[in-house]
Amino acid sequence: MTKCKLIAAATAAAGLMTIPAAAHDHKMAKKTIVETAVASDQFDTLETAVVTAGLAETLSGDGPFTVFAPTDDAFAKLPAGTVDTLLQPENRAQLTDILTYHVVAGRYTSGQIVAAAKKNGGTATLTTVQGGTLTAMLHGNDIMLHDSDNNMIGVVKANVAAKNGIIHAIDGVLMP
């Protein structure tokens, strides 16, 4: 089974997020998630990681996907040498695991995430393509993501539309 089909099957089987996907301006977006990230000047490290992990084709596919995309500044916060180590061929599985932990099947706007969190006492659980969970929490008007490594990562730019999903730029790297 190809990586694309494997991820698609995993996302379909996971019963992923309980927030209904609403229509968004994605019909007007002409670029895929990957093309949108490449066109931005804040996702160069993510672009390199996605290509190295062999996920560019998947994230250019039909989707829809919601990607919590670490900015270059977010990757720079990792301990020195971490990114270089993850980009080594022998660490491809670990890199793929980390990157797919940033992806949720479906198109979820920040408004939908906020509404789901408000409905559920301030938190919403998101199941990632990797199979782990993220907890979205409200901190004032901001969305914070709590990962399995106890990191709290903030959404710094929400609702970047792509034809196959949506991107929310985040200020840290989520760890499964």
Side-chain angles (χ1 to χ4, degrees), residues 133-156:
T133 58
L134 295 170
T135 303
M137 296 182 261
L138 303 179
H139 188 263
N141 292 328
D142 298 328
I143 298 172
M144 301 296 292
L145 301 169
H146 183 254
D147 68 13
S148 1
D149 205 33
N150 259 346
N151 297 308
M152 290 294 288
I153 308 293
V155 173
V156 294

Side-chain angles (χ1 to χ4, degrees), residues 5 7-8 26 31 35 47 49 66 76-77 79 86 109 115 124 174 176:
K5 289 180 182 174
I7 289 177
H26 67 278
K31 296 180 180 179
E35 292 166 336
E47 175 189 349
T66 297
K77 292 178 185 178
L86 288 170
T109 66
L174 299 162

